Amino acid sequence: RKELKPAHVDVTPILARVKQARWHNGVLAQYEYTFEEALEDALRTGFDQIAWGEIRSPQSAAGLFLALNTGAAGLVTTLHANSARKAVYRFEDLLHLAGIKPRRSMICEAIQFAIFIGLDDDRNRRIQETARLTGVDASDEFTFQDDARKDRTA
């Protein structure tokens, strides 16, 4: 399994869903470090950019969506979908499942670019599609600019 492991000296790894323990009133108390707690800690670090492993749940989509208007220069994450365009709709669906129904223009402020990586015949990951989210049209549908360059090694 491949995980992001940047070699930069100014990286602060924060791992959610990791069993933790702390002493509380003379007793070793175990707890799970949640997504929300990890996100709060990430926002307190004076970051420029956030690299978040994967959006898997409505709660993680909602938390990251709300974090995107906090002054970060950018965020990189992964989301399972069937195409670059469908990733934007999947993100919107996850927000709706979390009870957040933002204007589509707000989603466009949060997401500028989607990259779809799939497996080729030899089971190597390759960039198969990219799409730039350019806004919404008069009927409130997302508009995209497709990238003509396709099928590159990831």
Side-chain angles (χ1 to χ4, degrees):
R1 185 173 157 168
K2 297 179 182 178
E3 299 289 341
L4 291 174
K5 295 179 184 170
H8 303 288
V9 295
D10 59 349
V11 169
T12 304
I14 300 174
L15 305 173
R17 295 190 184 149
V18 176
K19 293 270 186 204
Q20 303 284 326
R22 66 175 162 231
W23 289 99
H24 182 70
N25 295 331
V27 176
L28 185 61
Q30 293 199 4
Y31 65 99
E32 189 172 290
Y33 189 57
T34 67
F35 171 84
E36 291 80 10
E37 292 167 327
L39 183 58
E40 284 178 18
D41 286 346
L43 294 174
R44 288 187 186 113
T45 62
F47 60 88
D48 290 324
Q49 298 178 350
I50 297 175
W52 199 267
E54 183 176 352
I55 297 174
R56 294 183 181 190
S57 68
Q59 294 78 18
S60 61
L64 287 175
F65 179 70
L66 296 173
L68 287 172
N69 281 331
T70 60
L75 170 102
V76 175
T77 189
T78 60
L79 173 77
H80 290 263
N82 292 329
S83 71
R85 287 176 177 228
K86 288 182 181 178
V88 175
Y89 290 99
R90 176 150 164 68
F91 183 72
E92 181 183 42
D93 289 344
L94 287 170
L95 291 176
H96 289 179
L97 288 171
I100 297 176
K101 303 211 184 311
R103 293 184 318 273
R104 283 190 163 175
S105 61
M106 291 177 67
I107 293 174
C108 293
E109 289 179 26
I111 300 172
Q112 288 82 42
F113 206 75
I115 301 170
F116 178 70
I117 297 175
L119 297 175
D120 65 13
D121 294 338
D122 295 326
R123 311 271 311 147
N124 294 311
R125 291 184 176 146
R126 299 184 69 76
I127 296 173
Q128 295 181 344
E129 176 190 7
T130 61
R132 181 178 303 277
L133 183 55
T134 57
V136 292
D137 62 17
S139 61
D140 201 36
E141 289 297 318
F142 290 120
T143 57
F144 296 89
Q145 175 185 351
D146 292 323
D147 187 353
R149 300 169 293 157
K150 296 188 184 220
D151 201 28
R152 296 177 298 270
T153 302

